[in-house]
Amino acid sequence: MGIASTNPATGEVFERFDELTAEQLEDRLARAAAAAESYRLTSIEDRAGWLRAAADRLESEADTVAALIVSEMGKTLRAARAEVAKCVAGLRFYAERGPAFLRDVEGDGESVGARSTYVTYQPIGVVLAVMPWNLPLWQAMRFAAPALMAGNVGLLKHASNVPQCALYMERLFREAGFPDDVFQTLLIPSGTVEQVLRDPRVAAATLTGSEPAGRSVASVAGEEIKKVVLELGGSDPFIVMPSADIERATDVAVTARTLNNGQSCINGKRFFVHEDIADAFIEKFVAKMGALVLGDPMDQDTDIGPLATESGRQDVEEYVADAVGKGATVLAGGERPDRPGWYYPPTVLADITPEMRMYHEEVFGPVAQVFVVSSLEEALREANGHPYGLGSNLWSEDDAERASFVRDIQSGMAFINGHTTSYPEIPFGGVKRSGYGRELSDLGMREFMNAKTVWVGE
């Protein structure tokens, strides 16, 4: 289908886009390299001002942009508005806190025989961002805001099913006053990413996406000796112990599994419930999942919209069919509704075993796996047996259990009595096959900066 906007609620293509020709791509790369040479010399105050202007403009266009997000990837209008608001907050966060993140850090000159020594943080140049469709504005913004504040130039290769969101990003920064070509969208196929990454004018890359995509980009970056940050898959554990508030835990469990129509790397996907409370938790969880309203994502009463792509729904169906065929029990959902669009209902499965694909892989849709465990140790052992290690959740009022969880869970993020989410203020990223490097906070900004050591003699 190429690069096109398709409404997931109907399956209808409503706009197509031409891919960049070789000549157009070369022109954009040349312009990005030229922009990097001048943009790195702009003042921190100017960059902060442009970020604030972008935040104000995005906020003023929030309703239009939210509707655009819904039309291209199918999340509910409520969720799209929340995504836009998060982008506004991210822009303002880096405008306000970025200057402090960019300050020189003084060292102990005397100890190294110098009159002074310090570390200064400098931009590295042109950074390629390969981004997914599930959070089409926020995923790109959490790269763009810190990168632009740092003085880097951004090239966005977005998913091919959200081209209008991608083009909006370029327009937003241009109209906010950023210098020409500091942020550009590249309408190119996935097969052209390697060419762009190997180009000597591109200094580094960041990718949010699948494990195979991450492996490919990391391989090319390794050959070219270029920095890359990878945020890949996740199959986050959600552990519930006897001391938990079951009512609140089940409320958050439903949100954790169905947020973004179940299409988020940090959604809770594997629910490990202590046997002492398993019956009560599962009964409430299944009832609440079954009560969610599946429908038109533009309708305010809708809880779950369609999956973003037809192939994505087919993947979910295949995972469920494989599990059921090997003995899994369907507690809720499990069958596609008879309606146009790429809908799939909130689903809960029990009796999951290692023979099933979903035990080892990520299901990118509103399908929950429930496991009953006899102890926190068993929950941690099962949780850590998965190849991914992005986020994790514990529900407990016991201080010893909390300490064990933080110490022993193999994940980049550990949330206690709350759903894993991203905030501009704190680092985001994973371990194991969930990738490496960090986004957001000061760490995310410094991933694509040269921490230059300066030594000044007497």
Side-chain angles (χ1 to χ4, degrees):
M1 186 173 289
I3 299 176
S5 297
T6 303
N7 188 338
T10 64
E12 296 175 354
V13 176
F14 59 92
E15 191 157 357
R16 297 183 186 274
F17 296 82
D18 293 330
E19 297 171 356
L20 294 178
T21 65
E23 293 75 16
Q24 289 171 327
L25 178 57
E26 167 57 30
D27 177 64
R28 284 178 173 266
L29 288 169
R31 283 157 46 196
E37 284 301 310
S38 57
Y39 186 61
R40 68 185 180 87
L41 302 175
T42 57
S43 71
I44 292 172
E45 293 74 21
D46 281 346
R47 296 177 210 158
W50 292 323
L51 283 181
R52 282 191 289 269
D56 292 344
R57 177 171 289 272
L58 178 56
E59 190 171 51
S60 71
E61 298 172 346
D63 288 344
T64 301
V65 177
L68 174 61
I69 292 172
V70 175
S71 70
E72 285 201 309
M73 64 76 53
K75 71 175 62 186
T76 65
L77 184 60
R78 290 200 309 271
R81 285 172 171 161
E83 181 176 343
V84 172
K86 196 168 194 174
C87 290
V88 171
L91 287 163
R92 288 178 176 154
F93 172 80
Y94 279 104
E96 294 165 6
R97 300 287 296 278
F101 297 157
L102 296 173
R103 288 177 189 152
D104 295 343
V105 177
E106 296 292 332
D108 181 1
E110 183 178 355
S111 68
V112 293
R115 178 158 56 91
S116 67
T117 184
Y118 60 95
V119 175
T120 187
Y121 291 94
Q122 298 179 333
I124 62 172
V126 179
V127 182
L128 171 66
V130 182
M131 294 288 114
W133 46 261
N134 59 327
L135 292 157
L137 220 63
W138 173 239
Q139 294 279 179
M141 192 66 75
R142 69 191 199 191
F143 149 74
L148 295 178
M149 186 64 217
N152 289 312
V153 164
L155 292 175
L156 172 62
K157 189 287 180 217
H158 219 322
S160 295
N161 61 322
V162 289
Q164 294 191 74
C165 289
L167 291 169
Y168 174 79
M169 290 279 292
E170 179 180 307
R171 185 169 69 253
L172 172 67
F173 290 121
R174 183 176 62 248
E175 294 177 352
F178 280 91
D180 290 344
D181 306 320
V182 163
F183 188 94
Q184 299 182 67
T185 285
L186 305 180
L187 293 183
I188 57 175
S190 297
T192 308
V193 168
E194 179 176 348
Q195 173 192 336
V196 176
L197 183 52
R198 289 191 186 279
D199 192 291
R201 292 165 292 190
V202 174
T206 178
L207 177 139
T208 298
S210 68
E211 184 184 338
R215 188 180 296 112
S216 175
V217 166
S219 176
V220 173
E223 291 179 6
E224 299 294 333
I225 320 296
K226 293 182 179 181
K227 177 70 177 288
V228 63
V229 169
L230 301 177
E231 194 269 277
L232 308 178
S235 190
D236 287 6
F238 191 107
I239 301 171
V240 187
M241 298 303 290
S243 61
D245 180 334
I246 295 178
E247 193 67 43
R248 183 163 168 256
T250 49
D251 282 343
V252 176
V254 170
T255 299
R257 183 61 289 241
T258 62
L259 187 71
N260 213 42
N261 301 342
Q263 303 163 119
S264 172
C265 52
I266 55 170
N267 277 23
K269 297 183 177 76
R270 297 176 296 144
F271 296 81
F272 299 95
V273 188
H274 194 280
E275 60 189 8
D276 290 354
I277 56 166
D279 289 346
F281 179 92
I282 293 172
E283 181 181 2
K284 287 180 178 291
F285 182 45
V286 169
K288 291 175 181 180
M289 287 282 280
L292 295 175
V293 177
L294 192 74
D296 181 351
M298 290 297 290
D299 190 328
Q300 290 288 353
D301 294 328
T302 294
D303 298 309
I304 303 287
L307 299 187
T309 65
E310 187 173 17
S311 62
R313 181 176 66 176
Q314 182 177 343
D315 288 344
V316 172
E317 288 182 312
E318 289 176 357
Y319 276 115
V320 173
D322 172 75
V324 172
K326 295 173 181 175
T329 302
V330 179
L331 303 180
E335 295 184 4
R336 79 157 72 172
D338 183 16
R339 60 183 300 165
W342 301 319
Y343 290 88
Y344 196 82
T347 297
V348 182
L349 300 179
D351 303 313
I352 304 297
T353 64
E355 292 74 31
M356 302 168 189
R357 289 179 56 206
M358 68 170 57
Y359 185 92
H360 307 281
E361 302 174 24
E362 178 182 24
V363 182
F364 217 57
V367 178
Q369 305 172 52
V370 178
F371 303 84
V372 178
V373 296
S374 61
S375 65
L376 177 60
E377 290 73 23
E378 181 184 358
L380 289 168
R381 185 170 60 252
E382 291 293 323
N384 290 337
H386 201 279
Y388 291 135
L390 190 55
S392 57
N393 297 259
L394 172 70
W395 288 79
S396 172
E397 300 299 328
D398 185 291
D399 289 341
E401 289 176 347
R402 293 179 177 188
S404 295
F405 172 72
V406 171
R407 182 191 64 215
D408 296 333
I409 193 69
Q410 296 171 6
S411 65
M413 298 168 284
F415 279 60
I416 297 172
N417 292 350
H419 171 225
T420 304
T421 188
S422 57
Y423 299 94
E425 296 85 352
I426 58 180
F428 183 98
V431 297
K432 302 197 291 186
R433 292 195 177 183
S434 288
Y436 47 76
R438 291 295 179 265
E439 298 177 293
L440 303 174
S441 77
D442 60 327
L443 299 184
M445 174 179 283
R446 289 172 178 167
E447 287 282 5
F448 296 117
M449 303 196 76
N450 176 18
K452 181 180 288 184
T453 298
V454 180
W455 185 99
V456 182
E458 296 294 342

